[in-house]
């Protein structure tokens, strides 16, 4: 207790992007952001899995009821998903009509050259469950997304969906790396 000011002594200030507005006060906000980070990912994964961004690309700016009907969803959860995607910057809303934000239109519409939905799906279906068992992996010193007693690696599988999702995701990511490499290095001597 700070007797001169008649108030509690402040703990050390939290480091991070979401420090409290009043200098000198520690805040658990950075921990809250870490704790709820999966909420944002799961909203993205739901939008990709339901085909939301592809539907919006095809339909243009439409209202929530139209989107719900296109996706075969009840209007209430559709409105919730749309609000969350808008808050994340994946959609825009104007006059009650939703459309893809530029990043969603470029990377989350199936069939686009740089479709990133494969990586989102792969992470949601195969990576995310393993991360949910991280403590187990740490305690047991064993992977959680594949069985080393039955498989040589996570990529030795009879499930083509796992490999297709992984390779689709890697193609998208590596295409940007390849473009940056081509811009940074003159390869004419090799062609």
């Amino acid at each position: 207790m700070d007797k001169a000011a008649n108030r509690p002594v402040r703990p050390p200030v939290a480091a991070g992007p979401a420090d409290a507005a009043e200098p000198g006060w520690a805040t658990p906000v950075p921990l809250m952001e870490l704790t709820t980070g999966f909420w944002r990912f799961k909203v993205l994964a739901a939008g990709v899995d339901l085909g939301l961004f592809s539907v919006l690309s095809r339909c243009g700016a439409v209202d929530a009821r139209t989107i719900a009907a296109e996706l075969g969803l009840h209007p209430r959860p559709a409105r919730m998903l749309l609000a969350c995607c808008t808050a994340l910057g994946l959609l825009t809303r104007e006059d009650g009509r939703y459309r893809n934000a530029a990043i969603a239109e470029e990377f989350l519409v199936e069939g686009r050259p740089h479709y990133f939905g494969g990586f989102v799906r792969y992470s949601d279906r195969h990576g995310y469950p393993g991360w949910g068992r991280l403590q187990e992996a740490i305690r047991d010193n064993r992977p959680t997304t594949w069985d080393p007693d039955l498989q040589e690696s996570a990529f030795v599988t009879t499930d083509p969906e796992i490999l297709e999702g992984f390779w689709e995701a890697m193609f998208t990511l590596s295409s940007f790396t390849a473009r940056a490499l081509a811009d940074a290095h003159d390869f004419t001597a090799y062609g």
Side-chain angles (χ1 to χ4, degrees):
M1 184 71 122
D2 180 348
K3 292 180 183 178
N6 197 22
R7 65 179 184 194
V9 175
R10 295 179 179 186
V13 175
D19 290 340
E22 186 178 344
W25 273 106
T27 174
V29 170
L31 298 175
M32 180 70 170
E33 290 172 349
L34 286 171
T35 303
T36 60
F38 73 97
W39 297 355
R40 292 182 290 277
F41 170 72
K42 292 302 280 184
V43 167
L44 170 62
V48 167
D49 199 52
L50 291 167
L52 170 64
F53 308 106
S54 296
V55 165
L56 282 171
S57 183
R58 180 173 45 82
C59 293
V62 293
D63 63 20
R65 185 171 300 284
T66 302
I67 296 166
E70 286 284 329
L71 297 176
L73 301 175
H74 188 278
R76 187 186 70 78
R79 285 191 309 270
M80 292 170 62
L81 177 62
L82 293 167
C84 290
C85 287
T86 302
L88 291 174
L90 300 171
L91 304 179
T92 62
R93 181 177 180 225
E94 187 175 329
D95 298 325
R97 299 167 79 77
Y98 295 88
R99 71 171 53 249
N100 285 335
I103 194 167
E105 189 67 28
E106 179 72 21
F107 298 112
L108 298 176
V109 175
E110 289 187 67
R112 292 286 165 96
H114 298 294
Y115 180 62
F116 195 71
F119 187 70
V120 174
R121 279 195 177 104
Y122 177 83
S123 296
D124 188 41
R125 295 177 185 169
H126 306 289
Y128 192 84
W131 282 99
R133 298 172 53 203
L134 180 60
Q135 293 90 327
E136 177 186 333
I138 292 169
R139 286 187 189 103
D140 298 343
N141 189 30
R142 290 180 60 84
T144 58
T145 57
W146 59 282
D147 186 346
D149 295 333
L150 302 175
Q151 294 172 251
E152 185 179 326
S153 77
F155 304 104
V156 177
T157 179
T158 57
D159 186 347
E161 182 186 326
I162 292 174
L163 290 178
E164 183 180 331
F166 177 79
W167 290 121
E168 182 180 75
M170 293 302 102
F171 173 79
T172 297
L173 292 171
S174 65
S175 66
F176 286 92
T177 303
R179 182 180 296 153
L181 182 60
D183 289 346
H185 185 76
D186 181 8
F187 287 97
T188 54
Y190 304 101

